[in-house]
Amino acid sequence: MRNRFDAQLEQLHQKLIEMGNLCEQVISMTYKVLVDEDYEAARELIEKDSRIDLKERDIEGLCLKLLLQQQPVASDLRKVSAALKMITDMERIGDQAADIAEIILTSNIKAPGLDIPIGRMAEATVRMVTDSVNAYVWQDLDTAQKVIEYDDVVDNLFLEVKDLLIRQMDSDPEIHEHVMDILLIAKYYERIGDHATNISEWVEFSITGKHRGDENL
Amino acid sequence: MRNRFDAQLEQLHQKLIEMGNLCEQVISMTYKVLVDEDYEAARELIEKDSRIDLKERDIEGLCLKLLLQQQPVASDLRKVSAALKMITDMERIGDQAADIAEIILTSNIKAPGLDIPIGRMAEATVRMVTDSVNAYVWQDLDTAQKVIEYDDVVDNLFLEVKDLLIRQMDSDPEIHEHVMDILLIAKYYERIGDHATNISEWVEFSITGKHRGDENL
């Protein structure tokens, strides 16, 4: 029974890594779509988001099977329930990357000078996703906690973009609509950072049995 | 065993109704905070969001207990797994209402004429949440499908707010920062509508065994 559980857990890890990988790819692609105005990449991104949705249902099925067949307790139960939560956040990351691509496809965005902080947001969130999935697989508390702290960097980048946008609007009334779209895009990256943080909080829970959200309750 | 399952399912319904109720309250409160600049209500809202988080953990525990003890199959299993998904969306609704309150607390928002479409967004999303939770409890496919269709109304209200904001910016450069904040608030309502739609899609799944997200996969 234990061996079978371990084999299924190994399978779960593999699938989570694949799903995390797809999330990293779609986040990176948003930036490519934005900077290179690469509409082919935008379509590819939306197709990859469907694959992320498929992965979620697949992993969910595996987790439910694990719960029903193995009736795990203690840290094994925590690992499975943490995985169930993590995939919801990963699915949302895919959706938000697709939302970014859609804004870019339906508008003609030009926002001079904004590619730098937006690019840093994309880079930062890709790394947060990679690190949080690895932290789960290796049950590495230290990495999970670093991801959680790193979310402040992404939040600050969002405020930086917002300030830059306000200054650009003041100087150029022609770009009002672009500014709104860029603000929404930056907000999506900020939410992606929040989801990566959530994933790491579930990793922390799977290791320690404590969820930091509960401390404030 | 069946009686015990039914009793636990009844308990689950009760808790979901309570959680849905809290979600409706926080959405309504955001509008009160915005229009009346009622900071006391903002603090109360943030406290209620903590209670929503507590409810999520409580219901999650009940669902896992149901899965482990009763090992439900077919439609019973679908009901429990749908509930697990729905509470994630309800928790996000609480977060987004709190995010709206926070924007209002940290900025001094004035956006003349925008209270009407924003108020309609708040009203529409409250109703979507009520209807989707009721649809689950009564396993009422028709209501769930109406909620899903109604999301277009909220999406269109968001576009209406965005257009109004662009026009206001063109005529009054002084309000640039307010405009950004209002846009983000409208975006949060639009996301709340998406989450209510997700809930109804899970209700549909619990009844029919088919999730419409899967059709596109």
Side-chain angles (χ1 to χ4, degrees):
Chain A
M1 200 72 170
R2 180 74 219 178
N3 277 351
R4 186 162 159 70
F5 180 78
D6 284 340
Q8 285 181 322
L9 206 61
E10 183 49 42
Q11 206 187 348
L12 175 62
H13 287 174
Q14 206 45 51
K15 285 175 193 283
L16 284 171
I17 291 171
E18 287 162 14
M19 189 174 178
N21 230 303
L22 284 167
C23 289
E24 294 151 27
Q25 286 174 35
V26 290
I27 304 170
S28 300
M29 285 165 84
T30 52
Y31 185 60
K32 193 172 156 52
V33 173
L34 180 68
V35 172
D36 301 343
E37 295 177 51
D38 181 343
Y39 297 136
E40 192 44 54
R43 268 180 293 272
E44 208 184 309
L45 190 166
I46 288 162
E47 184 270 325
K48 266 196 212 295
D49 175 41
S50 304
R51 283 173 56 198
I52 292 176
D53 293 347
L54 258 182
K55 278 269 178 250
E56 187 199 14
R57 305 305 300 278
D58 179 30
I59 294 174
E60 201 171 77
L62 178 60
C63 287
L64 289 178
K65 205 164 77 180
L66 260 161
L67 287 174
L68 295 172
Q69 290 177 350
Q70 310 279 346
Q71 295 170 273
V73 293
S75 82
D76 289 335
L77 174 59
R78 285 204 307 273
K79 267 184 212 160
V80 179
S81 56
L84 271 173
K85 288 299 200 174
M86 289 164 60
I87 55 174
T88 309
D89 283 294
M90 287 199 250
E91 187 263 338
R92 294 280 149 85
I93 289 174
D95 283 351
Q96 278 156 347
D99 285 337
I100 292 174
E102 216 157 283
I103 293 179
I104 299 168
L105 281 176
T106 54
S107 62
N108 183 15
I109 288 181
K110 294 270 173 294
L114 277 166
D115 44 333
I116 295 161
I118 293 259
R120 275 161 59 209
M121 290 186 95
E123 250 174 61
T125 50
V126 166
R127 211 184 117 191
M128 286 172 81
V129 173
T130 318
D131 286 353
S132 51
V133 174
N134 286 339
Y136 176 83
V137 172
W138 302 108
Q139 293 282 290
D140 172 354
L141 190 59
D142 187 49
T143 299
Q145 287 170 343
K146 278 192 185 124
V147 171
I148 296 166
E149 283 161 27
Y150 202 72
D151 191 39
D152 287 342
V153 175
V154 179
D155 289 349
N156 287 331
L157 282 167
F158 172 71
L159 296 176
E160 196 181 311
V161 171
K162 195 177 155 196
D163 285 346
L164 276 168
L165 286 170
I166 292 173
R167 283 209 295 279
Q168 290 194 353
M169 274 203 290
D170 290 342
S171 62
D172 181 1
E174 289 298 300
I175 60 165
H176 284 173
E177 189 164 356
H178 297 166
V179 158
M180 303 274 227
D181 287 328
I182 297 277
L183 181 72
L184 292 177
I185 290 174
K187 189 71 194 173
Y188 280 123
Y189 284 116
E190 193 242 6
R191 297 309 278 188
I192 290 174
D194 289 345
H195 287 298
T197 304
N198 289 345
I199 296 172
S200 272
E201 287 184 1
W202 288 113
V203 175
E204 198 178 48
F205 165 78
S206 77
I207 301 170
T208 66
K210 287 205 180 79
H211 190 274
R212 61 173 71 198
D214 294 349
E215 286 162 20
N216 308 319
L217 298 179
Chain B
M1 202 70 169
R2 181 73 217 179
N3 277 351
R4 188 163 158 70
F5 180 78
D6 285 339
Q8 284 181 324
L9 205 61
E10 183 49 42
Q11 206 187 348
L12 175 62
H13 288 174
Q14 206 45 52
K15 285 175 193 283
L16 283 171
I17 291 171
E18 288 163 14
M19 189 173 178
N21 230 303
L22 284 167
C23 288
E24 295 151 27
Q25 287 175 36
V26 290
I27 303 170
S28 300
M29 286 165 84
T30 52
Y31 186 60
K32 193 173 157 49
V33 172
L34 180 67
V35 172
D36 302 343
E37 294 178 50
D38 181 345
Y39 297 137
E40 192 44 54
R43 267 181 294 273
E44 208 184 308
L45 190 166
I46 288 161
E47 185 270 327
K48 267 198 212 293
D49 176 42
S50 304
R51 282 173 56 199
I52 292 175
D53 292 347
L54 256 182
K55 278 268 179 251
E56 187 198 15
R57 305 306 299 278
D58 180 29
I59 294 174
E60 200 171 76
L62 179 59
C63 288
L64 289 178
K65 206 164 76 180
L66 260 160
L67 288 174
L68 295 172
Q69 290 177 352
Q70 310 278 347
Q71 292 169 274
V73 292
S75 83
D76 289 335
L77 175 59
R78 286 205 306 273
K79 268 184 210 160
V80 179
S81 56
L84 271 174
K85 288 300 200 174
M86 289 165 59
I87 55 173
T88 309
D89 283 293
M90 288 199 248
E91 188 263 338
R92 295 279 151 84
I93 289 174
D95 282 352
Q96 278 156 347
D99 285 337
I100 293 175
E102 216 157 283
I103 293 180
I104 299 169
L105 281 177
T106 54
S107 62
N108 184 16
I109 288 180
K110 294 269 172 294
L114 277 166
D115 44 336
I116 294 161
I118 292 259
R120 274 160 59 209
M121 290 186 94
E123 250 174 61
T125 50
V126 166
R127 212 183 114 192
M128 286 172 80
V129 174
T130 318
D131 286 353
S132 51
V133 175
N134 286 339
Y136 177 83
V137 172
W138 303 108
Q139 294 283 289
D140 172 354
L141 190 59
D142 186 49
T143 300
Q145 287 170 342
K146 277 192 184 124
V147 171
I148 295 166
E149 284 161 27
Y150 202 73
D151 192 39
D152 286 342
V153 174
V154 179
D155 288 350
N156 287 331
L157 283 167
F158 172 71
L159 296 176
E160 197 182 309
V161 171
K162 196 178 153 195
D163 285 346
L164 276 168
L165 286 171
I166 292 172
R167 284 208 294 279
Q168 289 195 354
M169 273 203 290
D170 290 342
S171 61
D172 180 2
E174 288 299 300
I175 60 164
H176 284 173
E177 188 163 358
H178 297 166
V179 158
M180 303 275 226
D181 287 327
I182 297 276
L183 181 73
L184 292 177
I185 289 174
K187 189 72 195 171
Y188 279 124
Y189 284 116
E190 193 242 6
R191 297 309 280 187
I192 289 174
D194 289 345
H195 287 297
T197 305
N198 289 345
I199 296 173
S200 271
E201 287 183 1
W202 287 113
V203 175
E204 198 177 49
F205 165 78
S206 77
I207 300 171
T208 65
K210 286 205 180 79
H211 190 273
R212 61 172 72 198
D214 294 349
E215 286 162 19
N216 308 319
L217 298 180

